Amino acid sequence: MKIAVLAGDGIGPEIMEQALAVLDALALPGVELAHGDVGGTGYRKHGHPLPPETLAIAKAADAVLFGAVGDPSCDALERHLRPEQAILGLRQALTLFANLRPATLFPGLEDLSGLRPEIAREIDLLIVRELNGDVYFGEKGIRTLEDGRRQGFDFMSYDENEVRRIAHVGFKAAQGRGKRLCSVDKANVLETSQLWRDVVIETAKEYPDVELTHMYVDNAAMQLVKAPGQFDVVVTGNLFGDILSDQASMCVGSIGLLASASLGETQTQYGTKGLYEPIHGSAPDIAGQGKANPMAMVLSLAMMLRHSFGREAEAARVEAAVAKTLADGIKGGDLGGSAGTAEIGAAIVERL
Ligand code: IPM
Ligand code: MG
């Protein structure tokens, strides 16, 4: 079981240390770790946020465990050298087009949600975000028009194959959950979204057991805070999924709790090759202080065990240990508690 470990910037290394301690405690046979530099760390050590040696490690691995990238000291660099290019580059190079972002409220955290407890309690949804297309990867730039005005542009597009493959992931995920899929788009304004909607409707014919609905993204943002319990699986494009998943994280109390899996079509002898990362960033303001909540990273490890290594039992054990840690009142600052990174990690290991 070859795992590429890319801790990255800011709090990345601190939270990764705890996730690796949890992995170690599971004592799975045949685990091989290969560490690589990414993000601002990659740039400083090798001159690139995704150095070729790191990309090679990720390509050779069965799964990638990813911390976080982002470093304000790199903000002035040209875009292709900025830390974020590491994660964007990996998503693209490994064709990880399906991003699974579950948002479920842990019992006892109702009061930490930005929503009223009785509304927060209903949240149990999965956002399936497309990850290889949209404005993220279209032609982009800042150009000067004839009259001297500068104009920024990012080309938005989806071709039907891109939509179809993510739609299939959404429908299959719905089949494994509450059998309801909500496709989020902006078809009242965007042609890209019109094609998206048409293709999702065509794909639905193969999934008669799944109830399909459509929602404009502005309404979805509203419904997510008004009545989040109405959602089971949400499938959406790259940009809308980026925004809605951060919003969903606040509905469950903290972005420090949300894990994600990015999957493609590559099958290894163990499962689907994927990249696993918390949805939060590198949090430079608290980096190096031992304060960061490692739970999203640990929950990302659980997703890796499930999707890339077929280890459902171990994944469930890790998730249960995190839930028990929270239920026992051991919480990081993001949840209004005072437990530090190492303390939370040790508490999870103890409960395993
Ligand atoms: C995320 C992040 C990334 C994204 C950034 C770091 C490029 O916000 O994974 O949600 O926009 O996809
Ligand atoms: Mg984001």
Side-chain angles (χ1 to χ4, degrees):
M1 293 159 60
K2 285 203 195 100
I3 302 169
V5 179
L6 314 180
D9 304 322
I11 61 170
E14 301 163 54
I15 58 174
M16 184 64 82
E17 195 184 329
Q18 300 310 318
L20 294 181
V22 171
L23 177 62
D24 201 46
L26 288 169
L28 296 171
V31 172
E32 273 176 43
L33 304 182
H35 294 261
D37 296 315
V38 277
T41 312
Y43 175 74
R44 271 189 300 279
K45 289 201 196 161
H46 314 270
H48 197 279
L50 182 56
E53 47 271 62
T54 302
L55 183 58
I57 289 172
K59 282 190 168 164
D62 299 310
V64 180
L65 207 48
F66 193 92
V69 289
D71 179 341
S73 75
C74 297
D75 281 355
L77 292 172
E78 279 177 70
R79 184 164 300 279
H80 75 281
L81 294 175
R82 290 194 208 161
E84 289 76 11
Q85 295 307 312
I87 185 63
L88 296 174
L90 282 167
R91 289 170 182 171
Q92 204 170 29
L94 304 177
T95 325
L96 304 170
F97 65 88
N99 188 209
L100 310 185
R101 299 191 159 185
T104 309
L105 191 94
F106 283 94
L109 297 191
E110 292 82 356
D111 290 339
L112 294 167
S113 167
L115 307 180
R116 288 204 305 281
E118 68 273 20
I119 293 178
R121 204 167 288 132
E122 296 171 3
I123 302 172
D124 180 10
L125 57 88
L126 171 69
I127 295 179
V128 176
R129 169 189 175 196
E130 200 290 329
L131 212 51
N132 273 179
D134 205 347
V135 282
Y136 269 67
F137 294 103
E139 194 193 337
K140 57 179 72 226
I142 299 176
R143 62 189 166 205
T144 306
L145 302 175
E146 275 175 22
D147 65 4
R149 268 176 304 152
R150 286 166 302 157
Q151 182 190 51
F153 61 96
D154 298 85
F155 184 68
M156 176 184 269
S157 77
Y158 268 123
D159 72 44
E160 59 181 304
N161 294 349
E162 290 173 315
V163 180
R164 209 172 285 116
R165 66 181 181 179
I166 194 70
H168 280 295
V169 175
F171 281 109
K172 289 194 177 110
Q175 281 182 325
R177 294 180 38 114
K179 299 202 164 43
R180 287 181 297 120
L181 180 66
C182 178
S183 172
V184 170
D185 62 36
K186 188 69 185 170
N188 51 344
V189 178
L190 303 174
E191 288 301 316
T192 310
S193 281
Q194 187 58 56
L195 179 81
W196 174 283
R197 190 174 283 218
D198 294 346
V199 174
V200 171
I201 291 171
E202 287 159 25
T203 312
K205 296 197 183 88
E206 296 175 47
Y207 302 90
D209 54 331
V210 176
E211 179 198 306
L212 172 67
T213 53
H214 305 272
M215 206 180 269
Y216 297 140
V217 64
D218 48 351
N219 185 27
M222 191 169 77
Q223 296 300 329
L224 202 52
V225 291
K226 186 174 177 232
Q230 71 187 284
F231 296 107
D232 177 22
V233 179
V234 171
V235 66
T236 190
N238 206 344
L239 182 63
F240 300 156
D242 178 46
I243 298 166
L244 292 178
S245 57
D246 268 32
Q247 192 184 341
S249 76
M250 280 300 107
C251 299
V252 304
S254 169
I255 199 166
L257 294 175
L258 289 215
S260 82
S262 303
L263 307 173
E265 273 161 355
T266 309
Q267 296 297 321
T268 71
Q269 57 177 304
Y270 308 104
T272 306
K273 177 160 174 167
L275 179 149
Y276 301 86
E277 55 170 332
I279 85 160
H280 62 68
S282 58
D285 54 328
I286 57 162
Q289 299 173 31
K291 281 190 197 170
N293 181 359
M295 285 177 167
M297 186 75 242
V298 173
L299 292 169
S300 299
L301 171 84
M303 290 189 92
M304 178 188 81
L305 294 170
R306 174 173 295 125
H307 294 285
S308 284
F309 296 113
R311 294 271 186 175
E312 175 58 40
E314 286 82 359
R317 269 180 69 200
V318 171
E319 286 163 352
V322 171
K324 181 81 172 80
T325 303
L326 287 169
D328 290 344
I330 299 167
K331 293 174 188 161
D334 59 319
L335 298 171
S338 59
T341 315
E343 188 188 337
I344 297 172
I348 297 170
V349 167
E350 200 180 308
R351 281 154 186 81
L352 266 182

